[in-house]
Amino acid sequence: MVLTYHLFFNQIVLFLRFLHIFCAIFVILQPVMTILEKAYAATAAFVEGIPKTQRKRYGQFFTSQRTADYMSGMFSLPEKASLSILDAGAGTGLLSVALVEHLRNNGYHGQLTVTCYETDPKVLPVLTAILDILAAAYNIQYRIVTDNFLLEQDAHQEEYDIVIGNPPYLKIPKDAPEALAFPEVCHGAPNLYFLFWARSIQHLSPDGELVYIIPRSWTSGAYFAKFRRFLFQNTVITDIHIFDSREKVFDGESVLQETMIIKVRKSLIPPDEVHMTASSSSAFSDLRHYQVAYNAIVAPNEYVFLVTNEQESQVLTTLNRLPDTLRTVGLPMHTGIVVDFRTREVLRDQLEESAIPLFYSHHVRNGRVMWPAQQEGEYMVTDRKGYLQENGNYVFVKRFTAKEERRRLQCGILLATDYPQYEHIGTQNKINFIKCNTIEEAYGIYVLLNSTIYDTYYRILNGSTQVNSTEINAMPVPTHDTIKAMGRELMTTDDLSEERCNNIIRQWII
């Protein structure tokens, strides 16, 4: 009886899925809608029939109609007799439709050939029906390739003039076939979105253009360093669009990644400026335009800075002139050592013989490190050398902050003289620390990190709420002597406020 019930239930689910596909195709046949409207309505009907958990498993997030229209409008109008278009991971073909309509409506009369890669058999009937109508309306040729875009081995390495895409967002194992096929861009377990991007760049013809909607996670950090090197060895950035909201980009989806649209050109000659735009959502109703110098967006270390206004552009210009980094001045940031939930056997709630302080992010308060705070696990008893740090002069920085908090960089000074009775200390994994040789170094580093300009710089660099030590170590800083001089000035008062740090910064840097 149970088996019969399950078979009946599965048949109902299968019937409903086919019903949604039928509804999607039925929508396409309606005569009163534009082709783009039909494509979007068919997409919505198809998506409704596929559980969100199933789409998430494959990294599927379908583009909205307005986003597809905006992305297609980012392409320039090439002066060529024919154009080849690639839409990798095409889904229902919404992006291809928007792009063809953009080209035709703006006066391109040459031959258009569209190649769509799609491996999901459930969406293929919808994709085929949409492309059939598109071909009849605009006199284009198309083909649908059902091979794995990342693994197909085209001996002739076909090139495309235009590439448009909304690649799947899905992390895969480092030993997955797709990851092993791209050792030149992978570090650890990669995400499919930048593998699609890399593969598309390989297919892009000289001076060809690519527009992708992607997360912004690739812009900084060591994890994406190999990919960024590959990107800038082959292309230059010409346009970037930023969404202010994380949640209003993909219709009906809960996507917590910060998302952007980027356009690159297959060239090694960068433009003087990058055309930046921003909007609060994919409605694009409050679109803002501004131009930013290319070398302000693409740093010498190949980090990419996503500025949203002229003030942020000036912050980059000001700090990028500085000669050093924390590493070059011998004061690198590190991540706290002790992962408390894995080392419960060494933690203590109260002081006992041989116990030492274990510092957490909640001990960082108003520019100082205030310990203990009468919370659990603030003491540690261990002789394991890997857990022990010399008591000294430190600057602690919280690794995690809430998105709504005004400052991303929240730091505090710990001096060796604050707790002289302890030879060693411990740092919990949710703080970062900088070990300083002198008190003036600690105060000087605090001036930098507690200032408005450095907090703004880091927010431009990293859109997440996590403070990454690798990225902090890559930020430009003044010389070692200047850092110590700023520290000496701060030491003349008990005022550790952001305003006080800003005043000192203005004298030495700005």
Side-chain angles (χ1 to χ4, degrees):
M1 184 68 180
V2 174
L3 180 61
T4 302
Y5 170 79
H6 280 299
L7 287 173
F8 176 74
F9 179 78
N10 289 337
Q11 287 175 341
I12 291 294
V13 171
L14 190 61
F15 170 75
L16 290 174
R17 288 182 183 173
F18 276 113
L19 181 62
H20 280 289
I21 294 173
F22 172 79
C23 290
I25 295 175
F26 178 77
V27 166
I28 295 169
L29 300 177
Q30 300 306 303
V32 295
M33 305 169 72
T34 68
I35 300 177
L36 183 58
E37 288 171 340
K38 290 179 181 181
Y40 179 68
T43 301
F46 173 78
V47 169
E48 188 178 344
I50 306 298
K52 188 176 294 187
T53 53
Q54 183 174 334
R55 286 185 282 111
K56 188 175 181 180
R57 192 182 312 147
Y58 296 102
Q60 288 180 323
F61 298 98
F62 288 87
T63 320
S64 72
Q65 180 179 338
R66 288 190 182 93
T67 301
D69 194 45
Y70 186 86
M71 291 173 64
S72 65
M74 294 175 71
F75 289 99
S76 57
L77 208 61
E79 297 181 358
K80 298 181 68 173
S82 63
L83 292 176
S84 55
I85 297 169
L86 170 64
D87 185 352
T92 59
L94 186 66
L95 289 174
S96 291
V97 171
L99 178 56
V100 169
E101 286 201 336
H102 166 73
L103 292 170
R104 290 299 194 220
N105 292 341
N106 284 276
Y108 183 80
H109 302 295
Q111 177 61 48
L112 294 176
T113 304
V114 179
T115 299
C116 291
Y117 277 80
E118 182 53 59
T119 60
D120 184 353
K122 297 185 294 298
V123 79
L124 288 176
V126 181
L127 175 61
T128 303
I130 288 175
L131 293 180
D132 280 341
I133 293 178
L134 189 68
Y138 290 114
N139 186 30
I140 70 163
Q141 297 178 352
Y142 80 84
R143 62 175 178 143
I144 297 173
V145 183
T146 57
D147 296 333
N148 186 321
F149 177 65
L150 298 179
L151 298 180
E152 59 95 14
Q153 298 295 322
D154 187 346
H156 301 288
Q157 193 60 261
E158 185 170 356
E159 292 185 340
Y160 299 89
D161 303 299
I162 294 176
V163 178
I164 193 168
N166 172 15
Y169 304 172
L170 185 68
K171 203 165 187 177
I172 60 174
K174 62 181 179 181
D175 57 352
E178 292 84 355
L180 296 177
F182 290 89
E184 66 270 35
V185 301
C186 289
H187 175 81
N191 196 298
L192 284 177
Y193 85 80
F194 75 83
L195 296 186
F196 267 71
W197 191 1
R199 181 64 164 160
S200 294
I201 288 171
Q202 290 178 337
H203 276 292
L204 197 60
S205 64
D207 287 320
E209 296 180 343
L210 175 150
V211 173
Y212 259 26
I213 181 168
I214 50 174
R216 61 170 286 174
S217 51
W218 64 276
T219 58
S220 62
Y223 182 79
F224 293 95
K226 292 176 71 174
F227 169 74
R228 288 194 303 274
R229 188 174 306 117
F230 170 85
L231 176 70
F232 294 119
Q233 285 174 347
N234 291 276
T235 67
V236 294
I237 297 173
T238 62
D239 300 75
I240 293 176
H241 179 83
I242 302 169
F243 296 99
D244 297 336
S245 171
R246 295 182 179 205
E247 301 175 350
K248 298 180 180 179
V249 178
F250 296 98
D251 286 355
E253 305 284 9
S254 298
V255 180
L256 295 181
Q257 281 267 22
E258 295 212 12
T259 309
M260 62 185 289
I261 302 173
I262 188 166
K263 175 184 171 183
V264 299
R265 186 175 68 245
K266 191 73 169 285
S267 171
L268 297 182
I269 304 173
D272 293 332
E273 296 178 318
V274 176
H275 179 218
M276 301 289 298
T277 53
S279 64
S280 59
S281 70
S282 60
F284 300 97
S285 57
D286 56 346
L287 197 63
R288 310 184 297 276
H289 295 259
Y290 42 99
Q291 301 292 124
V292 183
Y294 190 86
N295 58 10
I297 297 293
V298 181
N301 63 1
E302 296 180 334
Y303 279 18
V304 176
F305 293 84
L306 304 180
V307 302
T308 60
N309 52 53
E310 293 296 334
Q311 180 184 359
E312 291 182 350
S313 177
Q314 185 58 47
V315 166
L316 296 183
T317 301
T318 299
L319 293 191
N320 283 340
R321 291 196 297 255
L322 299 178
D324 283 300
T325 65
L326 290 179
R327 288 200 178 278
T328 61
V329 298
L331 299 170
M333 176 178 282
H334 301 281
T335 300
I337 296 170
V338 178
V339 182
D340 53 336
F341 66 86
R342 294 178 181 169
T343 56
R344 297 188 188 279
E345 71 281 359
V346 306
L347 303 184
R348 302 292 187 270
D349 296 338
Q350 296 181 355
L351 180 63
E352 63 179 69
E353 186 178 358
S354 302
I356 62 172
L358 178 60
F359 293 104
Y360 293 75
S361 62
H362 60 255
H363 293 129
V364 176
R365 300 179 187 174
N366 301 318
R368 296 290 186 185
V369 177
M370 310 299 291
W371 174 93
Q374 282 69 54
Q375 297 195 30
E376 295 180 354
E378 293 183 309
Y379 300 87
M380 185 169 65
V381 176
T382 181
D383 57 1
R384 183 171 173 177
K385 292 183 178 180
Y387 291 165
L388 302 177
Q389 297 171 238
E390 179 187 3
N391 186 11
N393 304 305
Y394 290 87
V395 176
F396 290 163
V397 181
K398 294 182 180 181
R399 279 187 65 203
F400 299 95
T401 54
K403 184 172 177 60
E404 62 274 9
E405 290 190 76
R406 190 179 64 83
R407 286 191 58 87
R408 186 67 64 237
L409 300 181
Q410 299 183 22
C411 49
I413 298 170
L414 174 71
L415 301 179
T417 53
D418 290 342
Y419 304 98
Q421 66 271 38
Y422 297 106
E423 183 180 355
H424 295 99
I425 64 166
T427 52
Q428 194 258 359
N429 189 247
K430 291 184 180 178
I431 61 172
N432 293 313
F433 66 88
I434 299 172
K435 176 71 163 56
C436 300
N437 302 305
T438 65
I439 295 177
E440 60 188 7
E441 285 179 349
Y443 275 87
I445 293 295
Y446 177 85
V447 169
L448 296 178
L449 299 184
N450 196 53
S451 68
T452 302
I453 191 170
Y454 270 89
D455 189 70
T456 302
Y457 189 98
Y458 190 78
R459 284 177 179 271
I460 301 169
L461 173 62
N462 186 321
S464 75
T465 56
Q466 180 174 341
V467 176
N468 185 296
S469 60
T470 301
E471 292 170 346
I472 294 290
N473 287 330
M475 292 169 63
V477 300
T479 64
H480 189 231
D481 287 342
T482 300
I483 292 172
K484 290 191 295 183
M486 291 191 300
R488 285 192 294 270
E489 186 165 348
L490 184 62
M491 290 166 61
T492 62
T493 176
D494 291 331
D495 183 2
L496 300 179
S497 67
E498 182 175 345
E499 182 180 359
R500 172 67 173 152
C501 293
N502 289 344
N503 289 335
I504 296 174
I505 285 275
R506 289 188 191 100
Q507 298 175 42
W508 293 93
I509 296 177
I510 302 175

